[in-house]
Amino acid sequence: MSIDYSDMAFPKLACKKKRKSHKKSILKSGKGVCYLCSILYGDSSKQYTEEHHIMFGSGQRELSEADGLKVNLCRDHHKEGPEAVHNNREMREMLCRIAQTEYEQTHTREEWMARYKKNYL
């Protein structure tokens, strides 16, 4: 059932907000499988996962989304625990190295440096 808003004091606009398309991850990260658990421990079991943008902060999350630099992580590897990428610099930089290596399969190092400003390799 549709409501006609045209005769009201403040009619709703007909146009809708444009949605961004989200590129699929280039890092072979399946939904429900923690990327770090499968790499570090060989555990590919299904569990609750959260999406993590590898490059984050100062406008890089949008670039990471556009380039597909995102993975699914369990809570212990995302925000909680000693190996969480938001708490552990070594784990975060390991993900950045993996992402840069995968990005450079189809792009050059100069393109990476122009886009992300830091070399992790």
Side-chain angles (χ1 to χ4, degrees):
M1 184 165 118
S2 179
I3 299 174
D4 183 21
Y5 292 101
S6 62
D7 61 338
M8 295 191 172
F10 299 102
K12 288 190 174 184
L13 299 175
C15 63
K16 289 189 174 183
K17 184 177 175 183
K18 199 175 200 182
R19 299 199 119 214
K20 291 183 181 179
S21 62
H22 299 289
K23 187 175 178 183
K24 197 172 178 185
S25 175
I26 64 172
L27 296 174
K28 318 300 188 278
S29 175
K31 186 151 181 78
V33 177
C34 177
Y35 185 76
L36 288 177
C37 285
S38 62
I39 285 181
L40 300 174
Y41 308 117
D43 179 16
S44 297
S45 62
K46 290 276 187 182
Q47 56 187 317
Y48 172 76
T49 57
E50 300 170 342
E51 189 176 75
H52 172 69
H53 295 86
I54 296 174
M55 310 305 290
F56 60 92
S58 65
Q60 291 187 345
R61 181 173 290 124
E62 289 81 16
L63 296 176
S64 182
E65 180 75 44
D67 292 335
L69 301 178
K70 55 188 176 181
V71 292
N72 290 310
L73 299 176
C74 64
R75 280 190 179 157
D76 290 336
H77 282 126
H78 190 220
K79 292 182 182 174
E80 302 171 3
E83 291 185 334
V85 293
H86 285 280
N87 300 332
N88 189 327
R89 183 177 183 170
E90 290 82 25
M91 295 299 272
R92 184 178 62 80
E93 289 185 353
M94 180 184 73
L95 270 182
C96 291
R97 282 192 297 276
I98 293 169
Q100 183 175 353
T101 303
E102 197 65 32
Y103 183 85
E104 288 181 0
Q105 298 291 326
T106 56
H107 299 82
T108 64
R109 173 95 25 110
E110 290 76 25
E111 289 174 322
W112 172 269
M113 292 299 293
R115 198 152 171 91
Y116 295 106
K117 312 287 191 262
K118 185 173 180 183
N119 184 12
Y120 293 96
L121 300 177

